[in-house]
Amino acid sequence: MNELSGVLFYLIGVNIFTYILMGMDKQKAIKKKYRIPERTFWLLSLLGGALGVLIGMKAFRHKTKHKSFQYGAPILLIVNIVCFVYLFFYMS
């Protein structure tokens, strides 16, 4: 497995993980249980999981009223894409 496929595998994994956490947090919110901190979602978004956050927001209708998530997640997705494109051209 070359470096590029490793990066792609990582991005898929972190986005699936982030999406699942969004669903879990929504269920915890409904049941009024201990929630996953927002900083966890921000950290995962910075580490490449912004797409998972955005898809989770839409699928679970979760954190859609938070302005920080409405604007911050798409911005971090753009940052993720720019970093991935940079890595793609740097590694090839």
Side-chain angles (χ1 to χ4, degrees):
M1 177 164 67
N2 64 16
E3 295 88 10
L4 189 58
S5 60
V7 171
L8 188 58
F9 182 72
Y10 166 79
L11 286 173
I12 291 170
V14 75
N15 280 290
I16 290 171
F17 179 69
T18 305
Y19 174 79
I20 291 169
L21 280 183
M22 286 290 282
M24 289 173 55
D25 193 50
K26 177 65 176 190
Q27 289 304 310
K28 288 179 181 217
I30 292 169
K31 295 177 182 177
K32 299 189 185 314
K33 292 192 174 192
Y34 181 76
R35 305 277 304 279
I36 298 168
E38 286 186 3
R39 69 180 171 266
T40 302
F41 293 112
W42 288 118
L43 178 62
L44 288 168
S45 293
L46 280 170
L47 296 174
L51 183 61
V53 167
L54 284 170
I55 294 172
M57 285 174 62
K58 299 287 184 188
F60 303 116
R61 297 185 62 179
H62 188 49
K63 302 211 180 281
T64 56
K65 293 181 182 178
H66 294 251
K67 295 288 184 196
S68 61
F69 278 91
Q70 286 178 353
Y71 299 110
I75 290 170
L76 285 175
L77 177 60
I78 293 169
V79 170
N80 289 173
I81 291 169
V82 168
C83 289
F84 178 72
V85 169
Y86 173 77
L87 284 173
F88 177 76
F89 287 110
Y90 178 74
M91 290 182 166
S92 55

